Every structure is written in C-alpha cells, then in structure tokens.
Amino acid sequence: MTLSASDLYAIEARLGARNYKPLDVTLTRGEGVWVWDTEGKRYLDCLSAYSALNQGHCHPKILAAMTEQAQRLTLTSRAFRNDQLPLLYQDLEKLTGAKMILPMNSGAEAVESALKVTRKWGYEVKGVAPDQANIITCSNNFHGRTLGIVGFSTDPLAHNNYGPFAGGFKTVPFGDFDALAAAIDNNTVGFLVEPIQGEAGVLIPPAGYFKRVRELCTEKNIVLVLDEIQTGLGRTGKLLAQEHEGIKSDLTLLGKALSGGFYPISAVLANNDVLKVLQPGTHGSTFGGNPLASAIARAALRVLVEEGMIENARVQGEYFMSQLRTIKSDLIREVRGRGLMIAIELQPQAGGAYKYCERLRDKGLLAKDTHVNTMRLAPPLLIQRAEIDFACEALADLFK
Ligand SMILES: *Cc1c(COP(=O)(O)O)cnc(C)c1O
C-alpha cells in the first residue's frame, strides 16, 4: 500500500526534526528538468537541489555508471586502494588543471578540509607562530553547517546559540577589496570566499574585484580558497565561475553537482603545493574517495562536458534573464545572475518571496526563496527555451 501525501506529511510532522520548512509538495519521480508529485502533477525544477542537480534528475548515463559500479565494488575505505579514484583524479586534472586533489563527501567537509589544510600550511610553510593563524571570510557567506563553519557565519539563524566557536576567523564585507587589504596581518594564512554568493541571494562582486584579490593573496602569501560548491561545474556558464574573473584559486572546492545528483561527493582541488602538508594520518574520511562516488562523479563530469551543458547554461541563462527583464512589475526590484544562477529580488512591499514560491508551485514551477525577498531560479543546465518560456509565463502571470 502506498501512503498518501498527507499520511507521509503526518509522519514527518511527528518524527522529523524541524530544521526545514519545505514547500508543501511531495515529490516521487524526476527526469531531466521535470519532477512529479505523488498525485502525478508535473513541475519544472528551478532549484536543482541548490545546484546539486546540474545534470538534471536521474540522468541515464550517470545512473548506468552508478548501477554498474554498485554491483562491483562500493567501498574500500582509504586503508586500501580502489581502481576508480585515480581515474577521477585524472579527469579532474584534465578538466581543471588541478595539481593535487583531496576527495571528501559533503560540501561542508570540503570547506572544513580546506580550512585545516590552510592553517597547517600557515604553520609549516609560511611560518606563523603556533595557534596564531587567522583566516579571512566574508559577511553573508554560506559555506555549510558544521560547527567550525557556522562560527564565522554572519547569518543569525545559522550562527546563534551554537557557540563557543573556534577562533582565528575575521570577517570583511564581500566585494570590498580595501576592507580585505586592511584586515590582512602577518598571521593571515587564507581568504575563503564564494565567487558569487549563492545563498546570500546571488550576489555578484564588482568587476575586477577578484583580479585584485588574486594579486593581493599572491603578494601577501595567503591561500586563496574559492568555494565553488554552488557556482562550479557549469552553473554560471563556465566550468568554474573563477574563469569569468580570469583567475586561478590556490584551492577550489567542489561538491553538489560533482554528485550528478546521485551520491554525495566533494573535493578540494589544489593548483599548487598547499595540499602537500597533509601526511598519512593527519586527515581523512571513511567514505571519501570511495569507488562508487568516484565512478558517479566521473560520469557526472563526462555528461556535463559531452552534452554541452556548460555552454547551454551560458546561452539559456542569457535568454532566461532577458525574458525575465521584460516582466514589468512594481514588485520586482532587480533581476540578476550569471549563467543559470539567477535571482529575482522583490521589493520589500511584496511581502517576502515565500508566498510567491507557493503560487509558482500551483503553476507547476518549483523555486525557492532566500533571505526573505529574493527568489532564486537555478534549473538543471539541460533546460531548453520552451521550458524557460513556460517558467517566464508562470512568473509573468504571478507579477501582472
Ligand atoms: C551548499 C554549499 C555548501 C555546503 O555543502 P553541503 O553539501 O550542504 O555541506 C558550501 N558552500 C557553498 C557555496 C554551498 O552552496
């Protein structure tokens, strides 16, 4: 017997921790850019699991790689070698030019790993005195939910009542070069930043900001850590968002879409020797780099490139934004974005984006509000014009 959506909801309301307030829709199936609820109603997915589904739902080639690998070998731990992880290393090297790679599982783990490595590098290579290292982060950042990370979150919901927190972090405004320059001291070992702040509402820094940041980090001998967990893997119309800025990080963090939407995997990619501070026993993860995740990630990367999804994100993203900008409404403050990472910021008098997301759901489009007044639109990267037109019609109808 299958349970109805309301039966399922009753179970969730009774037993589930209340750390999410999902839109009232219960999904049971997905294919490409579309998902279906338990009543058989179809929706266009304009969230893509926060960009973990860049390749779309249940991509057949990733599914085939997963089932094939799942029948052979799923987990060895890193106590033994497996025959898949080196192939993933090689693919990532080919795609990004990375010189050394650390596989982990969740995005937050990749961030934590990069912070640990940056500190260790600070002590062992840069020569900072014991326990004196600091790492600079940005206001309105989102880097995940672990204790270390929420310590330097400026979002009260993420931060409050989880202390005491680890020291050694400073905060500067995002996109403010002078503030960064002023915050650096002799003990600064790293700067952790998102190329575009996603959860903050798709905030794009001023042109030229990252070029100057790159130069400053090189000059001051500071590890530039770019969190591309959301912006990476085609989302902004380039493989990595840092390509728009013409720069290379020291450490790049990948997660989300590296999974192809199937199985969590994240990675720290190094463009230099920083990761060499890790020696056997100094860091690890039971599931990190397992053969199942590696095979899935390889397929996820392969379809992204082979099926032209990165270029499609650029082309369709421009089309999507140009169509959204034709919607004339006093309730819309701004449409902004890059590639298929798009936000519609509403005026305060609109009364918050959540209720508009509910009305979009009724029209067959799933989107998510962020920071009260912003609605984020980030469909899978294989979206086509007709589907964008469908989305724009629903949105135009909403704001007319
Ligand atoms: C989602 C996200 C993370 C955290 O990833 P999890 O897999 O949820 O731990 C970190 N950084 C950015 C920019 C993200 O968007």
Side-chain angles (χ1 to χ4, degrees), residues 8 11 20 80 83 107 122 135 173 195-196 213 223 234 270 273 315 317 323 345 378 383:
L8 293 166
I11 298 170
Y20 279 92
F80 313 115
D83 63 359
I135 292 175
I196 294 171
V213 166
V223 178
D273 285 347
V315 172
Q323 292 305 100
E345 187 178 335
I383 195 166

Side-chain angles (χ1 to χ4, degrees), residues 20 49-51 105-111 141-146 149 193-199 227-231 253 255-256 264-266 341 376:
Y20 279 92
Y50 305 91
S51 295
N105 308 286
S106 68
E109 271 183 308
V111 174
N141 69 73
F142 184 85
H143 297 292
R145 299 292 198 163
T146 59
I149 291 169
V193 60
E194 300 154 82
I196 294 171
Q197 286 191 325
E199 297 311 295
D227 180 347
E228 295 240 24
I229 291 166
Q230 189 163 147
T231 56
L253 313 181
K256 294 206 162 104
I265 173 168
S266 64
M341 189 171 184
R376 172 179 19 201

Side-chain angles (χ1 to χ4, degrees), residues 252-269:
T252 296
L253 313 181
L254 294 181
K256 294 206 162 104
L258 191 57
S259 71
F262 281 85
Y263 185 97
I265 173 168
S266 64
V268 180
L269 311 184

Side-chain angles (χ1 to χ4, degrees), residues 106-365:
S106 68
E109 271 183 308
V111 174
E112 290 275 350
S113 303
L115 295 171
K116 285 175 68 179
V117 163
T118 298
R119 282 182 170 181
K120 203 166 191 305
W121 172 90
Y123 299 121
E124 295 176 6
V125 180
K126 186 166 177 169
V128 170
D131 289 344
Q132 296 304 304
N134 68 71
I135 292 175
I136 300 174
T137 64
C138 288
S139 44
N140 300 317
N141 69 73
F142 184 85
H143 297 292
R145 299 292 198 163
T146 59
L147 199 50
I149 291 169
V150 300
F152 55 80
S153 171
T154 60
D155 175 356
L157 283 174
H159 176 95
N160 289 2
N161 292 336
Y162 292 120
F165 299 112
F169 295 98
K170 297 187 191 183
T171 305
V172 298
F174 179 64
D176 184 339
F177 176 81
D178 294 334
L180 173 65
I184 291 171
D185 61 33
N186 291 335
N187 294 330
T188 302
V189 295
F191 178 44
L192 169 67
V193 60
E194 300 154 82
I196 294 171
Q197 286 191 325
E199 297 311 295
V202 188
L203 304 183
I204 302 173
Y209 170 70
F210 273 107
K211 260 232 152 71
R212 296 180 74 195
V213 166
R214 174 65 278 181
E215 284 165 11
L216 185 66
C217 288
T218 303
E219 182 198 321
K220 300 282 186 186
N221 200 20
I222 290 165
V223 178
L224 175 58
V225 185
L226 294 182
D227 180 347
E228 295 240 24
I229 291 166
Q230 189 163 147
T231 56
L233 302 178
R235 174 53 57 190
T236 67
K238 301 264 191 197
L239 179 73
L240 300 175
Q242 60 195 275
E243 293 171 40
H244 292 288
E245 314 288 343
I247 62 159
K248 257 188 176 312
S249 72
D250 297 303
L251 298 177
T252 296
L253 313 181
L254 294 181
K256 294 206 162 104
L258 191 57
S259 71
F262 281 85
Y263 185 97
I265 173 168
S266 64
V268 180
L269 311 184
N271 288 316
N272 55 26
D273 285 347
V274 176
L275 274 179
K276 284 194 181 159
V277 298
L278 293 182
Q279 300 297 328
T282 59
H283 187 64
S285 160
T286 304
F287 284 86
N290 71 71
L292 183 59
S294 300
I296 290 168
R298 291 189 73 209
L301 293 169
R302 195 160 56 240
V303 301
L304 206 61
V305 173
E306 276 178 10
E307 298 181 17
M309 292 186 200
I310 303 169
E311 173 65 6
N312 193 58
R314 187 183 69 75
V315 172
Q316 305 297 358
E318 276 171 23
Y319 178 68
F320 204 164
M321 271 188 283
S322 72
Q323 292 305 100
L324 290 173
R325 289 191 174 118
T326 66
I327 301 173
K328 296 293 170 226
S329 166
D330 292 343
L331 296 176
I332 297 179
R333 183 164 171 187
E334 188 185 33
V335 172
R336 60 175 174 264
R338 195 165 274 166
L340 283 168
M341 189 171 184
I342 298 170
I344 302 176
E345 187 178 335
L346 304 179
Q347 298 286 8
Q349 70 263 26
Y354 186 82
K355 67 174 190 226
Y356 293 95
C357 293
E358 286 187 316
R359 284 160 58 188
L360 279 174
R361 172 205 57 204
D362 297 340
K363 294 175 185 295
L365 191 156

